[in-house]
Amino acid sequence: MADKRILKFLPLIALVSAAAEPAPAPVPLRSNDISVVGTHNSYKLAMPAETMAKVRAASPAIADMLDYAHRPLTEQLDAGARQIEIDVNYDPKGGHYAKGSNDPTLLRPGFKVLHIPGIDNSSSCVLLTECLRLILRWSDRHPGHVPIMLMFNAKDEKNAWRGGIDALPFDAAAWDALDAEIRSVMPAKKLIVPDEVQGSYPTLRDAVRAGNWPTLEKARGRFLFALDEGPEKVAGYRGARRSLEGRVFFINTDEDSPAAAYLTLNDPIAEGARIRRDVAAGYIVRTRADADTEEARANDTKRREAALASGAQYVSTDYLWPDARFQGGYQVRLPGGAVARCNPVRRGADCPRADLDRR
């Protein structure tokens, strides 16, 4: 009889035991588990009317491509931009890009932030150090922000033939100088660098595919730098390193490289499947919601919607705000006006629904 009484209470005992077991700890969000919007050529101001008129007379199509501008960097950050793009021009002695300009900052040594030197020359912060200090001051005032990606193009185009100024080439000294100039402004604690992500893994790629990006909480208030260039330049920056040991920048490379962590995949329609695959594998991807003013002029949202759905962590636009000259009010923001959300490819129902940014 005693045994039967015990059996009677076994289901209740099982329920009590199950209730007493702690729920599994939630998987922490990592810095590649988010999705944000940023801006393309973020420093760029409108070309002077006289210069634009000359460009339009020579090529209306090129004029349309260059006919955009951005508000100051801090205003973009206030509005929720979490990716900033900067074009740098090497100028170790100073004055190389000063021809035809009365801007005294162009005479100072150091990297200059210019789109097309001598032609599309209007910048909200001409010196790279000036741009970085503006961004750093903003970050110090908003320490809870999600990691901001600063994406760089290293400009070396020959512009003299079209009335501009030939850019200086990027050699080994230039790459070292670029890292050094960034570190001269940005404290080490503010940087997410390849060495941190790689940790004890044999290569950076191994670490990324193992999920070794820092957690979102550890990445708040910090920056990662990405070099958006082709194979020749990124090889020059990487040098003989197995991955990116000692470097500031992550580089745009293919998925099989030992240095693979970041990819620029700018067409979310044609490259949508690849973006989703790479994001799921652990890589960070930047794509573009629009380009060359085409989508804004037509209020064509197909590319924007593909970009936001692709899983790319950083979606770049020229239209954080609409351009009042174009009908339709084309602009790019995250759904619901959030600054940062859970990545639609990497995180599902387990993800917080609130805006992840803490400004």
Side-chain angles (χ1 to χ4, degrees):
M1 181 70 75
D3 290 341
K4 289 182 178 180
R5 287 197 299 270
I6 293 172
L7 291 173
K8 179 180 177 180
F9 289 105
L10 280 178
L12 179 60
I13 294 169
L15 285 173
V16 171
S17 298
E21 290 179 4
V27 177
L29 288 174
R30 294 195 172 269
S31 50
N32 61 326
D33 287 334
I34 64 171
S35 180
V36 300
V37 169
T39 52
H40 161 254
N41 289 347
S42 312
Y43 59 88
K44 187 181 179 309
L45 302 179
M47 294 172 66
E50 182 180 351
T51 305
M52 176 56 79
K54 291 178 180 178
V55 174
R56 192 166 293 282
S59 172
I62 292 176
D64 281 353
M65 291 170 62
L66 297 175
D67 194 11
Y68 64 93
H70 289 291
R71 301 185 190 186
L73 296 181
T74 52
E75 194 169 342
Q76 295 176 48
L77 293 165
D78 283 339
R82 293 297 179 266
Q83 175 254 303
I84 298 294
E85 183 177 351
I86 297 174
D87 289 340
V88 287
N89 299 263
Y90 186 42
D91 191 14
K93 297 179 180 179
H96 181 81
Y97 301 100
K99 181 181 177 181
S101 173
N102 56 8
D103 184 349
T105 59
L106 290 171
L107 299 175
R108 294 168 57 182
F111 289 90
K112 306 301 187 299
V113 178
L114 309 166
H115 189 216
I116 306 175
I119 300 174
D120 193 4
N121 231 33
S122 297
S123 174
S124 62
C125 47
V126 172
L127 299 175
L128 172 58
T129 52
E130 177 189 7
C131 298
L132 294 176
R133 288 189 180 107
L134 288 169
I135 295 167
L136 179 60
R137 284 196 293 268
W138 183 91
S139 175
D140 287 342
R141 294 194 302 270
H142 305 86
H145 67 77
V146 297
I148 295 171
M149 186 171 76
L150 301 180
M151 195 183 75
F152 279 43
N153 291 139
K155 307 290 276 190
D156 63 355
E157 290 87 353
K158 302 297 183 184
N159 300 304
W161 67 272
R162 51 183 172 178
I165 300 168
D166 288 345
L168 296 176
F170 274 76
D171 56 13
W175 294 126
D176 289 346
L178 182 58
D179 272 9
E181 191 157 300
I182 291 168
R183 290 187 185 277
S184 75
V185 175
M186 291 284 184
K189 66 181 181 180
K190 299 289 283 188
L191 299 177
I192 300 170
V193 295
D195 283 340
E196 177 183 352
V197 177
Q198 182 171 338
S200 61
Y201 286 87
T203 69
L204 181 58
R205 178 183 183 274
D206 291 330
V208 165
R209 293 184 68 89
N212 205 45
W213 289 101
T215 64
L216 178 58
E217 291 310 308
K218 289 184 178 179
R220 288 190 183 279
R222 299 169 71 193
F223 304 92
L224 64 155
F225 285 72
L227 183 60
D228 176 28
E229 289 293 350
E232 183 177 352
K233 286 183 186 174
V234 299
Y237 178 76
R238 182 179 170 195
R241 297 167 180 83
R242 186 177 187 192
S243 294
L244 288 164
E245 293 82 3
R247 283 304 202 188
V248 169
F249 285 86
F250 297 88
I251 58 173
N252 176 36
T253 188
D254 66 85
E255 296 89 339
D256 295 328
S257 168
Y262 162 80
L263 294 97
T264 299
L265 299 173
N266 280 332
D267 189 339
I269 296 176
E271 299 176 295
R274 184 181 176 190
I275 293 173
R276 286 187 288 274
R277 184 172 63 249
D278 286 344
V279 168
Y283 301 107
I284 282 179
V285 176
R286 179 262 199 172
T287 195
R288 291 184 68 176
D290 44 75
D292 302 331
T293 77
E294 291 180 5
E295 287 77 14
R297 292 177 187 275
N299 193 28
D300 181 352
T301 61
K302 292 190 295 294
R303 183 169 176 169
R304 179 187 73 189
E305 298 312 309
L308 293 175
S310 70
Q313 288 90 347
Y314 295 94
V315 175
S316 184
T317 181
D318 285 319
Y319 299 96
L320 203 57
W321 292 272
D323 189 323
R325 300 172 300 171
F326 305 148
Q327 293 184 350
Y330 177 88
Q331 72 176 134
V332 179
R333 297 290 179 104
L334 288 182
V339 172
R341 62 172 177 164
C342 284
N343 191 286
V345 168
R346 292 192 56 81
R347 299 301 292 249
D350 67 328
C351 199
R353 297 300 169 206
D355 190 337
L356 298 176
D357 196 78
R358 298 175 190 162
R359 282 176 288 176

